[in-house]
Amino acid sequence: KEVIVDSGWSDYVFDESYKLKALSETEAFIKAEKHLPGIPSAKEVAEHGVSVGEMQAKLLAKIEELTLHVIEEEKRIARLEAENRTLRMKIEPNQMP
């Protein structure tokens, strides 16, 4: 059977006012705390349990954040590739297809 959990949702991540943490900030948090920001630690879950609906919303927020990071990285790669082509044409104008 299907279980329906009535909970808040995570589309707030796509709001213009949402501050997406830099991956370097997330890395520093993980190194210090040994878990993702906004996600309870294993110790907290062991002591207090976890709300399935709340955790689903938090996990979706993390997926949405990762999606935004991937989109930005794709744009960055495209800019770098275009810059690379331009520079290569200046260096080797007769070698480019």
Side-chain angles (χ1 to χ4, degrees):
K1 291 200 173 208
E2 185 175 355
V3 175
I4 305 278
V5 177
D6 188 11
S7 178
W9 214 232
S10 304
D11 288 345
Y12 62 86
V13 171
F14 297 129
D15 190 271
E16 294 289 327
S17 64
Y18 183 75
K19 175 151 176 7
L20 183 64
K21 288 184 190 281
L23 290 175
S24 58
E25 290 178 63
T26 301
E27 179 185 27
F29 184 93
I30 291 168
K31 283 183 178 180
E33 304 296 329
K34 308 293 187 245
H35 63 91
L36 286 171
I39 301 294
S41 68
K43 181 181 178 188
E44 291 171 308
V45 172
E47 290 176 0
H48 307 289
V50 64
S51 162
V52 173
E54 184 181 325
M55 186 53 61
Q56 283 295 108
K58 287 179 182 219
L59 292 174
L60 179 59
K62 295 303 171 193
I63 291 168
E64 291 174 348
E65 289 173 351
L66 287 172
T67 300
L68 291 174
H69 281 297
V70 169
I71 290 167
E72 285 305 311
E73 286 302 308
E74 184 175 62
K75 290 177 185 177
R76 180 177 164 269
I77 289 167
R79 285 191 305 269
L80 290 172
E81 287 174 341
E83 181 182 347
N84 190 11
R85 276 191 300 278
T86 301
L87 292 172
R88 287 181 63 202
M89 285 174 55
K90 288 180 180 180
I91 294 169
E92 308 166 350
N94 297 327
Q95 302 293 326
M96 296 300 293

Coordinates of all heavy atoms in Angstrom, one line a residue:
K1 N 0.8 -1.2 0.0 CA 0.0 0.0 0.0 C 0.9 1.2 0.0 O 2.0 1.2 0.5 CB -0.9 0.0 1.2 CG -2.0 -1.0 1.2 CD -3.1 -0.7 2.1 CE -4.2 -1.7 1.9 NZ -5.5 -1.1 2.2
E2 N 0.3 2.3 -0.5 CA 1.0 3.6 -0.5 C 0.7 4.4 0.8 O -0.3 4.3 1.3 CB 0.5 4.4 -1.7 CG 1.3 5.7 -1.9 CD 0.8 6.4 -3.1 OE1 0.0 5.9 -3.9 OE2 1.3 7.5 -3.3
V3 N 1.8 5.0 1.2 CA 1.7 5.9 2.4 C 1.8 7.3 2.0 O 2.7 7.7 1.2 CB 2.8 5.6 3.4 CG1 2.7 6.6 4.6 CG2 2.7 4.2 3.9
I4 N 0.8 8.1 2.4 CA 0.9 9.6 2.0 C 1.2 10.3 3.3 O 0.6 10.2 4.3 CB -0.5 10.1 1.6 CG1 -1.0 9.2 0.4 CG2 -0.5 11.6 1.2 CD1 -0.5 9.6 -1.0
V5 N 2.3 11.1 3.2 CA 2.7 11.9 4.3 C 2.5 13.4 4.0 O 3.0 13.9 3.0 CB 4.2 11.7 4.6 CG1 4.7 12.6 5.8 CG2 4.5 10.2 4.9
D6 N 1.7 14.1 4.8 CA 1.4 15.5 4.6 C 2.5 16.3 5.3 O 2.5 16.4 6.5 CB 0.0 15.8 5.1 CG -0.4 17.2 4.7 OD1 0.2 17.8 3.9 OD2 -1.4 17.7 5.3
S7 N 3.3 16.9 4.5 CA 4.5 17.7 5.1 C 4.8 18.9 4.2 O 4.3 19.0 3.1 CB 5.7 16.7 5.1 OG 6.8 17.4 5.6
G8 N 5.6 19.8 4.7 CA 6.1 20.9 3.9 C 6.9 20.4 2.7 O 7.3 19.2 2.7
W9 N 7.2 21.2 1.8 CA 8.0 20.7 0.6 C 9.2 21.7 0.4 O 9.3 22.7 1.1 CB 7.1 20.6 -0.6 CG 7.6 19.5 -1.5 CD1 7.8 19.5 -2.8 CD2 7.8 18.1 -1.1 NE1 8.2 18.3 -3.3 CE2 8.2 17.4 -2.3 CE3 7.8 17.4 0.1 CZ2 8.6 16.1 -2.3 CZ3 8.1 16.1 0.1 CH2 8.5 15.4 -1.1
S10 N 10.1 21.4 -0.5 CA 11.4 22.0 -0.6 C 11.6 22.9 -1.8 O 12.7 23.3 -2.1 CB 12.4 20.9 -0.6 OG 12.3 20.1 0.5
D11 N 10.5 23.3 -2.5 CA 10.8 24.1 -3.7 C 11.3 25.5 -3.3 O 11.6 26.3 -4.2 CB 9.5 24.2 -4.5 CG 9.2 23.0 -5.2 OD1 10.0 22.1 -5.4 OD2 8.0 22.8 -5.7
Y12 N 11.3 25.9 -2.0 CA 11.9 27.1 -1.6 C 13.3 27.3 -2.1 O 13.9 28.4 -2.2 CB 11.8 27.3 -0.1 CG 12.6 26.2 0.7 CD1 14.0 26.4 0.9 CD2 12.0 25.1 1.1 CE1 14.7 25.4 1.6 CE2 12.7 24.1 1.8 CZ 14.0 24.3 2.0 OH 14.7 23.3 2.7
V13 N 14.0 26.2 -2.4 CA 15.4 26.2 -2.8 C 15.5 26.9 -4.2 O 16.5 27.6 -4.5 CB 15.9 24.7 -3.0 CG1 17.3 24.7 -3.7 CG2 16.0 24.1 -1.6
F14 N 14.4 26.9 -5.0 CA 14.4 27.6 -6.3 C 14.0 29.0 -6.2 O 14.0 29.7 -7.2 CB 13.5 26.8 -7.3 CG 14.0 25.4 -7.5 CD1 13.1 24.3 -7.4 CD2 15.3 25.1 -7.9 CE1 13.6 23.0 -7.6 CE2 15.7 23.8 -8.1 CZ 14.9 22.8 -8.0
D15 N 13.6 29.5 -5.0 CA 13.2 30.9 -4.9 C 14.5 31.8 -5.1 O 15.6 31.5 -4.7 CB 12.6 31.1 -3.5 CG 12.0 32.5 -3.4 OD1 12.7 33.4 -3.0 OD2 10.8 32.6 -3.7
E16 N 14.3 32.9 -5.7 CA 15.4 33.9 -6.0 C 16.1 34.3 -4.7 O 17.3 34.6 -4.7 CB 14.8 35.1 -6.7 CG 14.3 34.8 -8.1 CD 15.4 34.5 -9.1 OE1 16.5 35.1 -9.0 OE2 15.2 33.7 -10.0
S17 N 15.4 34.4 -3.6 CA 16.0 34.8 -2.3 C 16.8 33.7 -1.6 O 17.4 34.0 -0.6 CB 14.9 35.4 -1.4 OG 14.0 34.4 -1.0
Y18 N 16.7 32.5 -2.1 CA 17.4 31.4 -1.4 C 18.9 31.5 -1.5 O 19.4 31.7 -2.7 CB 16.9 30.0 -1.9 CG 17.5 28.9 -1.2 CD1 17.1 28.5 0.1 CD2 18.6 28.1 -1.8 CE1 17.7 27.4 0.8 CE2 19.1 27.0 -1.1 CZ 18.7 26.7 0.2 OH 19.3 25.7 0.8
K19 N 19.6 31.5 -0.5 CA 21.1 31.5 -0.5 C 21.7 30.1 -0.6 O 21.7 29.4 0.4 CB 21.6 32.3 0.7 CG 23.2 32.3 0.7 CD 23.8 33.4 1.4 CE 25.3 33.4 1.5 NZ 26.0 32.4 0.8
L20 N 22.1 29.8 -1.8 CA 22.7 28.5 -2.0 C 24.2 28.5 -1.5 O 24.9 29.4 -1.9 CB 22.7 28.1 -3.5 CG 23.3 26.8 -3.9 CD1 22.4 25.7 -3.3 CD2 23.3 26.7 -5.4
K21 N 24.5 27.6 -0.5 CA 25.8 27.6 0.0 C 26.8 27.2 -1.0 O 26.6 26.3 -1.8 CB 25.9 26.7 1.2 CG 25.2 27.1 2.4 CD 25.5 26.1 3.5 CE 24.6 26.3 4.7 NZ 25.1 27.3 5.6
A22 N 28.0 27.8 -1.0 CA 29.1 27.4 -1.9 C 29.5 26.0 -1.5 O 29.4 25.6 -0.3 CB 30.3 28.4 -1.8
L23 N 29.9 25.2 -2.4 CA 30.3 23.8 -2.1 C 31.5 23.8 -1.1 O 31.6 22.9 -0.3 CB 30.7 23.1 -3.4 CG 29.5 22.7 -4.3 CD1 30.0 22.1 -5.6 CD2 28.5 21.8 -3.5
S24 N 32.3 24.8 -1.1 CA 33.4 24.9 -0.2 C 32.9 25.1 1.2 O 33.5 24.5 2.2 CB 34.4 26.1 -0.5 OG 33.7 27.3 -0.6
E25 N 31.8 25.8 1.4 CA 31.2 26.0 2.7 C 30.6 24.6 3.2 O 30.7 24.3 4.4 CB 30.0 27.0 2.7 CG 30.4 28.4 2.5 CD 29.2 29.3 2.4 OE1 28.5 29.4 3.4 OE2 29.0 29.9 1.4
T26 N 30.0 23.9 2.3 CA 29.4 22.6 2.6 C 30.5 21.6 3.0 O 30.4 20.9 3.9 CB 28.6 22.1 1.4 OG1 27.5 23.0 1.1 CG2 28.0 20.7 1.7
E27 N 31.6 21.7 2.2 CA 32.8 20.8 2.6 C 33.3 21.1 4.0 O 33.6 20.2 4.7 CB 33.9 21.0 1.5 CG 35.1 20.2 1.8 CD 36.3 20.5 0.9 OE1 36.4 21.6 0.4 OE2 37.1 19.5 0.7
A28 N 33.5 22.4 4.3 CA 34.0 22.8 5.6 C 33.0 22.3 6.7 O 33.5 21.7 7.7 CB 34.1 24.3 5.7
F29 N 31.7 22.4 6.5 CA 30.7 21.9 7.5 C 30.8 20.4 7.6 O 30.8 19.9 8.8 CB 29.3 22.3 7.0 CG 28.2 21.9 8.0 CD1 27.8 22.8 9.0 CD2 27.7 20.6 8.0 CE1 26.9 22.5 9.9 CE2 26.7 20.3 8.9 CZ 26.3 21.2 9.9
I30 N 30.9 19.7 6.5 CA 31.0 18.2 6.6 C 32.3 17.8 7.3 O 32.2 16.9 8.2 CB 31.0 17.6 5.2 CG1 29.6 17.8 4.5 CG2 31.4 16.1 5.2 CD1 29.6 17.5 3.0
K31 N 33.4 18.5 7.1 CA 34.6 18.1 7.8 C 34.5 18.4 9.3 O 35.0 17.6 10.1 CB 35.8 18.9 7.2 CG 36.3 18.4 5.9 CD 37.5 19.2 5.4 CE 38.0 18.6 4.1 NZ 39.1 19.3 3.5
A32 N 33.8 19.4 9.6 CA 33.7 19.8 11.1 C 32.6 18.9 11.8 O 32.9 18.5 12.9 CB 33.4 21.3 11.2
E33 N 31.5 18.7 11.1 CA 30.4 18.1 11.8 C 30.1 16.7 11.4 O 29.3 16.0 12.0 CB 29.1 18.9 11.5 CG 29.2 20.4 11.9 CD 29.4 20.6 13.4 OE1 28.8 19.8 14.2 OE2 30.0 21.6 13.7
K34 N 30.7 16.2 10.3 CA 30.6 14.8 9.8 C 29.1 14.5 9.4 O 28.7 13.3 9.4 CB 31.0 13.8 10.9 CG 32.4 14.0 11.5 CD 33.4 13.8 10.4 CE 34.8 13.9 11.0 NZ 35.6 15.0 10.6
H35 N 28.4 15.5 8.9 CA 27.1 15.3 8.2 C 26.8 16.5 7.4 O 27.4 17.5 7.6 CB 26.0 14.9 9.2 CG 25.7 16.0 10.2 ND1 24.7 17.0 10.0 CD2 26.2 16.3 11.4 CE1 24.7 17.8 11.0 NE2 25.6 17.4 11.9
L36 N 25.8 16.4 6.6 CA 25.4 17.5 5.7 C 24.7 18.6 6.5 O 23.9 18.3 7.5 CB 24.4 17.0 4.6 CG 25.0 16.2 3.5 CD1 23.8 15.6 2.6 CD2 25.9 17.1 2.6
P37 N 24.8 19.8 6.1 CA 24.1 20.9 6.8 C 22.6 20.7 6.6 O 22.1 20.3 5.5 CB 24.6 22.2 6.1 CG 25.6 21.8 5.2 CD 25.7 20.3 5.1
G38 N 21.8 20.9 7.6 CA 20.4 20.8 7.6 C 19.9 19.4 7.7 O 18.6 19.2 7.7
I39 N 20.8 18.4 7.8 CA 20.4 17.0 7.9 C 20.8 16.6 9.3 O 22.0 16.9 9.7 CB 21.0 16.1 6.9 CG1 20.6 16.6 5.5 CG2 20.7 14.7 7.1 CD1 19.2 16.4 5.1
P40 N 20.0 15.9 10.1 CA 20.4 15.5 11.4 C 21.6 14.5 11.4 O 21.7 13.7 10.4 CB 19.2 14.9 12.1 CG 18.2 14.6 11.0 CD 18.6 15.5 9.8
S41 N 22.4 14.6 12.4 CA 23.5 13.6 12.5 C 23.0 12.2 12.9 O 21.9 12.1 13.4 CB 24.5 14.1 13.6 OG 23.9 14.0 14.9
A42 N 23.8 11.2 12.7 CA 23.4 9.8 13.1 C 23.1 9.8 14.6 O 22.2 9.1 15.0 CB 24.6 8.9 12.8
K43 N 23.9 10.5 15.4 CA 23.6 10.6 16.8 C 22.3 11.2 17.1 O 21.5 10.6 18.0 CB 24.7 11.4 17.5 CG 24.6 11.4 19.0 CD 25.7 12.3 19.7 CE 25.4 12.4 21.2 NZ 26.3 13.3 21.8
E44 N 21.9 12.3 16.5 CA 20.6 12.9 16.7 C 19.5 12.0 16.3 O 18.5 11.8 17.0 CB 20.5 14.2 15.9 CG 21.4 15.3 16.4 CD 21.4 16.5 15.4 OE1 21.7 16.3 14.2 OE2 21.2 17.6 15.9
V45 N 19.6 11.3 15.2 CA 18.6 10.3 14.8 C 18.5 9.2 15.7 O 17.4 8.7 16.1 CB 18.9 9.8 13.3 CG1 17.9 8.7 12.9 CG2 18.8 11.0 12.3
A46 N 19.6 8.7 16.2 CA 19.6 7.6 17.2 C 18.9 8.0 18.5 O 18.2 7.2 19.1 CB 21.0 7.1 17.5
E47 N 19.1 9.2 18.9 CA 18.5 9.7 20.2 C 17.1 10.1 20.0 O 16.3 9.9 21.0 CB 19.3 10.9 20.7 CG 20.7 10.5 21.2 CD 21.6 11.7 21.6 OE1 21.1 12.9 21.5 OE2 22.7 11.5 22.0
H48 N 16.7 10.7 18.9 CA 15.4 11.3 18.8 C 14.5 10.8 17.7 O 13.4 11.2 17.5 CB 15.5 12.9 18.6 CG 16.4 13.5 19.6 ND1 16.0 13.7 20.9 CD2 17.6 14.1 19.5 CE1 16.9 14.3 21.6 NE2 17.9 14.6 20.7
G49 N 15.1 9.9 16.9 CA 14.3 9.4 15.7 C 14.3 10.5 14.6 O 15.0 11.5 14.7
V50 N 13.5 10.2 13.6 CA 13.4 11.1 12.5 C 12.0 11.1 11.9 O 11.4 10.0 11.8 CB 14.5 10.8 11.4 CG1 14.2 9.4 10.8 CG2 14.5 11.8 10.3
S51 N 11.5 12.2 11.6 CA 10.2 12.3 10.9 C 10.4 12.0 9.4 O 11.2 12.6 8.7 CB 9.6 13.7 11.0 OG 8.6 14.0 10.1
V52 N 9.7 11.0 8.9 CA 9.8 10.5 7.6 C 9.5 11.6 6.6 O 10.2 11.9 5.6 CB 9.0 9.3 7.3 CG1 9.0 8.9 5.8 CG2 9.5 8.1 8.1
G53 N 8.4 12.3 6.8 CA 8.0 13.4 5.9 C 9.0 14.5 5.9 O 9.3 15.1 4.9
E54 N 9.4 14.9 7.1 CA 10.4 16.0 7.2 C 11.7 15.6 6.5 O 12.3 16.4 5.9 CB 10.6 16.3 8.7 CG 11.6 17.5 9.0 CD 11.8 17.7 10.4 OE1 10.9 17.5 11.2 OE2 12.9 18.1 10.8
M55 N 12.1 14.4 6.7 CA 13.4 13.9 6.1 C 13.3 13.9 4.6 O 14.2 14.2 3.9 CB 13.8 12.6 6.7 CG 15.2 12.1 6.2 SD 16.5 13.3 6.5 CE 16.5 13.4 8.2
Q56 N 12.1 13.5 4.1 CA 11.9 13.4 2.6 C 12.1 14.9 2.1 O 12.7 15.1 1.0 CB 10.5 12.9 2.3 CG 10.4 11.4 2.4 CD 11.3 10.7 1.4 OE1 12.3 10.1 1.7 NE2 10.9 10.8 0.1
A57 N 11.5 15.8 2.8 CA 11.6 17.2 2.3 C 13.0 17.7 2.4 O 13.5 18.4 1.5 CB 10.7 18.1 3.2
K58 N 13.7 17.4 3.4 CA 15.2 17.8 3.6 C 16.0 17.1 2.5 O 16.9 17.8 1.9 CB 15.7 17.4 4.9 CG 15.1 18.3 6.0 CD 15.7 17.9 7.4 CE 15.1 18.8 8.5 NZ 16.0 19.1 9.5
L59 N 15.8 15.8 2.2 CA 16.5 15.2 1.2 C 16.2 15.8 -0.2 O 17.2 15.9 -1.0 CB 16.2 13.7 1.2 CG 16.8 12.9 2.4 CD1 16.3 11.5 2.4 CD2 18.3 13.0 2.5
L60 N 15.0 16.1 -0.5 CA 14.6 16.7 -1.7 C 15.3 18.1 -1.9 O 15.9 18.5 -2.9 CB 13.1 16.9 -1.9 CG 12.7 17.6 -3.2 CD1 13.1 16.8 -4.4 CD2 11.2 17.8 -3.2
A61 N 15.4 18.8 -0.8 CA 16.1 20.1 -0.8 C 17.6 19.9 -1.2 O 18.1 20.7 -1.9 CB 16.0 20.8 0.6
K62 N 18.2 18.9 -0.6 CA 19.6 18.6 -1.0 C 19.7 18.2 -2.5 O 20.7 18.7 -3.1 CB 20.2 17.5 -0.1 CG 20.3 17.9 1.4 CD 21.1 19.1 1.6 CE 21.0 19.6 3.0 NZ 21.6 21.0 3.1
I63 N 18.8 17.5 -3.0 CA 18.8 17.1 -4.4 C 18.7 18.4 -5.2 O 19.4 18.6 -6.2 CB 17.7 16.1 -4.8 CG1 18.1 14.8 -4.1 CG2 17.6 16.0 -6.3 CD1 16.9 13.8 -4.2
E64 N 17.8 19.3 -4.8 CA 17.5 20.5 -5.6 C 18.8 21.4 -5.5 O 19.2 22.0 -6.5 CB 16.3 21.2 -5.0 CG 15.0 20.5 -5.4 CD 13.8 21.1 -4.7 OE1 13.9 22.0 -3.8 OE2 12.7 20.7 -5.1
E65 N 19.4 21.5 -4.3 CA 20.7 22.2 -4.2 C 21.8 21.7 -5.2 O 22.4 22.4 -5.9 CB 21.2 22.2 -2.8 CG 20.4 23.0 -1.8 CD 20.8 22.9 -0.4 OE1 21.6 22.0 -0.1 OE2 20.2 23.7 0.4
L66 N 21.9 20.4 -5.2 CA 22.9 19.7 -6.1 C 22.6 20.0 -7.5 O 23.5 20.3 -8.3 CB 22.9 18.2 -5.8 CG 23.6 17.8 -4.5 CD1 23.4 16.3 -4.3 CD2 25.1 18.1 -4.6
T67 N 21.3 20.0 -7.9 CA 20.9 20.3 -9.2 C 21.3 21.7 -9.6 O 21.8 22.0 -10.7 CB 19.4 20.1 -9.4 OG1 19.0 18.7 -9.1 CG2 18.9 20.4 -10.8
L68 N 21.1 22.7 -8.7 CA 21.5 24.1 -9.0 C 23.0 24.2 -9.1 O 23.5 24.9 -10.0 CB 21.0 25.0 -7.9 CG 19.5 25.2 -7.8 CD1 19.1 26.0 -6.6 CD2 19.0 25.8 -9.1
H69 N 23.8 23.4 -8.3 CA 25.2 23.4 -8.5 C 25.6 22.8 -9.8 O 26.5 23.4 -10.5 CB 25.9 22.6 -7.3 CG 26.0 23.4 -6.0 ND1 26.7 24.5 -5.9 CD2 25.4 23.1 -4.8 CE1 26.6 25.0 -4.7 NE2 25.9 24.2 -4.0
V70 N 25.0 21.8 -10.2 CA 25.3 21.1 -11.5 C 25.0 22.1 -12.7 O 25.8 22.2 -13.6 CB 24.6 19.8 -11.7 CG1 24.8 19.2 -13.1 CG2 25.1 18.8 -10.7
I71 N 23.9 22.8 -12.6 CA 23.6 23.7 -13.6 C 24.6 24.8 -13.7 O 25.1 25.2 -14.8 CB 22.2 24.3 -13.4 CG1 21.1 23.3 -13.6 CG2 21.9 25.6 -14.3 CD1 19.7 23.6 -13.1
E72 N 25.1 25.3 -12.6 CA 26.1 26.4 -12.6 C 27.4 25.8 -13.1 O 28.1 26.5 -13.9 CB 26.3 27.0 -11.2 CG 25.1 27.9 -10.8 CD 24.9 29.0 -11.8 OE1 25.9 29.7 -12.2 OE2 23.8 29.2 -12.2
E73 N 27.8 24.6 -12.8 CA 29.0 24.0 -13.3 C 29.0 23.8 -14.8 O 29.9 24.0 -15.5 CB 29.3 22.7 -12.6 CG 29.8 22.9 -11.1 CD 31.0 23.7 -11.0 OE1 32.0 23.5 -11.7 OE2 31.0 24.7 -10.2
E74 N 27.8 23.4 -15.3 CA 27.6 23.2 -16.7 C 27.8 24.6 -17.4 O 28.5 24.6 -18.5 CB 26.3 22.7 -17.0 CG 26.1 22.4 -18.5 CD 24.7 21.7 -18.7 OE1 23.7 22.3 -18.5 OE2 24.7 20.6 -19.2
K75 N 27.3 25.7 -16.9 CA 27.5 27.0 -17.5 C 28.9 27.4 -17.4 O 29.5 28.0 -18.4 CB 26.6 28.0 -16.8 CG 25.1 27.9 -17.0 CD 24.4 28.9 -16.2 CE 22.9 28.7 -16.3 NZ 22.2 29.7 -15.4
R76 N 29.6 27.1 -16.3 CA 31.0 27.5 -16.2 C 31.8 26.7 -17.2 O 32.7 27.3 -17.8 CB 31.4 27.2 -14.7 CG 32.9 27.5 -14.4 CD 33.2 27.2 -12.9 NE 34.6 27.1 -12.7 CZ 35.3 26.0 -12.8 NH1 34.8 24.8 -13.1 NH2 36.6 26.1 -12.6
I77 N 31.6 25.4 -17.3 CA 32.3 24.6 -18.3 C 32.1 25.2 -19.7 O 33.1 25.3 -20.5 CB 31.9 23.1 -18.2 CG1 32.5 22.6 -16.9 CG2 32.4 22.3 -19.4 CD1 31.9 21.2 -16.5
A78 N 30.9 25.5 -20.1 CA 30.6 26.1 -21.4 C 31.4 27.3 -21.6 O 32.0 27.6 -22.7 CB 29.1 26.3 -21.6
R79 N 31.4 28.2 -20.6 CA 32.2 29.5 -20.7 C 33.7 29.2 -20.9 O 34.4 29.8 -21.7 CB 32.0 30.4 -19.5 CG 30.7 31.1 -19.5 CD 30.6 32.1 -18.4 NE 31.0 31.6 -17.0 CZ 30.1 31.2 -16.2 NH1 28.8 31.1 -16.5 NH2 30.5 30.8 -15.0
L80 N 34.2 28.2 -20.1 CA 35.7 27.9 -20.2 C 36.0 27.3 -21.6 O 37.0 27.5 -22.1 CB 36.0 27.0 -19.1 CG 36.1 27.6 -17.7 CD1 36.3 26.5 -16.6 CD2 37.2 28.6 -17.6
E81 N 35.1 26.4 -22.1 CA 35.3 25.8 -23.4 C 35.3 26.9 -24.5 O 36.2 26.8 -25.4 CB 34.3 24.7 -23.7 CG 34.5 23.5 -22.9 CD 33.3 22.5 -23.0 OE1 32.2 22.9 -23.5 OE2 33.6 21.3 -22.7
A82 N 34.4 27.8 -24.4 CA 34.4 28.9 -25.4 C 35.7 29.7 -25.3 O 36.3 30.1 -26.3 CB 33.2 29.8 -25.2
E83 N 36.1 30.1 -24.1 CA 37.3 30.8 -23.9 C 38.5 30.0 -24.4 O 39.4 30.6 -25.1 CB 37.5 31.1 -22.4 CG 38.8 31.9 -22.1 CD 38.9 32.2 -20.6 OE1 38.0 31.9 -19.8 OE2 40.0 32.6 -20.2
N84 N 38.5 28.7 -24.1 CA 39.6 27.9 -24.6 C 39.7 27.9 -26.1 O 40.8 28.0 -26.7 CB 39.4 26.5 -24.1 CG 40.6 25.5 -24.3 OD1 41.7 26.0 -24.7 ND2 40.4 24.3 -24.1
R85 N 38.5 27.8 -26.8 CA 38.5 27.8 -28.3 C 39.0 29.1 -28.8 O 39.8 29.1 -29.8 CB 37.1 27.6 -28.8 CG 36.6 26.1 -28.9 CD 35.3 26.0 -29.7 NE 34.2 26.7 -29.1 CZ 33.5 26.2 -28.0 NH1 33.8 25.0 -27.5 NH2 32.5 26.9 -27.6
T86 N 38.6 30.2 -28.2 CA 39.1 31.5 -28.6 C 40.6 31.6 -28.5 O 41.3 32.1 -29.4 CB 38.4 32.6 -27.8 OG1 37.0 32.5 -28.0 CG2 38.9 34.0 -28.2
L87 N 41.1 31.2 -27.3 CA 42.6 31.3 -27.1 C 43.3 30.4 -28.1 O 44.4 30.8 -28.6 CB 42.9 30.9 -25.7 CG 42.4 31.9 -24.6 CD1 42.6 31.4 -23.2 CD2 43.1 33.3 -24.8
R88 N 42.8 29.2 -28.3 CA 43.5 28.3 -29.2 C 43.5 28.8 -30.7 O 44.5 28.7 -31.4 CB 42.8 26.9 -29.2 CG 43.1 26.1 -27.9 CD 42.5 24.8 -27.9 NE 43.0 23.9 -29.0 CZ 42.4 22.9 -29.4 NH1 41.2 22.5 -28.9 NH2 42.9 22.2 -30.4
M89 N 42.4 29.5 -31.0 CA 42.4 30.1 -32.4 C 43.4 31.2 -32.5 O 44.0 31.4 -33.6 CB 41.0 30.7 -32.7 CG 40.0 29.6 -33.0 SD 38.3 30.1 -33.2 CE 38.4 31.4 -34.4
K90 N 43.7 32.0 -31.4 CA 44.7 33.0 -31.4 C 46.1 32.4 -31.5 O 47.0 33.0 -32.1 CB 44.6 33.9 -30.2 CG 43.4 34.8 -30.2 CD 43.3 35.6 -28.9 CE 42.1 36.5 -29.0 NZ 42.0 37.3 -27.8
I91 N 46.3 31.3 -30.8 CA 47.6 30.6 -30.8 C 47.9 29.9 -32.0 O 49.0 29.9 -32.6 CB 47.7 29.7 -29.5 CG1 47.7 30.5 -28.3 CG2 49.0 28.9 -29.6 CD1 47.5 29.7 -27.0
E92 N 46.9 29.1 -32.5 CA 47.0 28.2 -33.7 C 45.9 28.5 -34.7 O 45.1 27.7 -34.9 CB 47.0 26.8 -33.2 CG 47.9 26.4 -32.1 CD 47.6 25.0 -31.5 OE1 46.5 24.5 -31.8 OE2 48.4 24.6 -30.7
P93 N 45.9 29.7 -35.3 CA 44.8 30.0 -36.2 C 44.6 29.1 -37.3 O 43.4 28.9 -37.8 CB 45.1 31.4 -36.7 CG 46.6 31.6 -36.4 CD 46.9 30.7 -35.3
N94 N 45.6 28.5 -37.8 CA 45.4 27.6 -39.0 C 45.2 26.1 -38.6 O 45.0 25.3 -39.4 CB 46.7 27.7 -39.9 CG 46.8 29.0 -40.5 OD1 45.8 29.7 -40.7 ND2 48.0 29.5 -40.7
Q95 N 45.2 25.8 -37.3 CA 45.1 24.4 -36.8 C 43.7 24.1 -36.5 O 43.3 22.9 -36.3 CB 46.0 24.2 -35.6 CG 47.5 24.4 -35.9 CD 48.1 23.4 -36.8 OE1 47.7 22.3 -36.8 NE2 49.0 23.9 -37.6
M96 N 42.8 25.1 -36.3 CA 41.4 24.9 -35.8 C 40.6 24.4 -37.0 O 40.7 24.9 -38.1 CB 40.8 26.1 -35.2 CG 41.5 26.6 -34.0 SD 41.5 25.4 -32.6 CE 39.8 25.4 -32.2
P97 N 39.6 23.5 -36.8 CA 38.7 23.0 -37.8 C 37.8 24.1 -38.3 O 37.4 25.0 -37.6 CB 38.0 21.8 -37.2 CG 38.2 21.9 -35.8 CD 39.4 22.8 -35.5

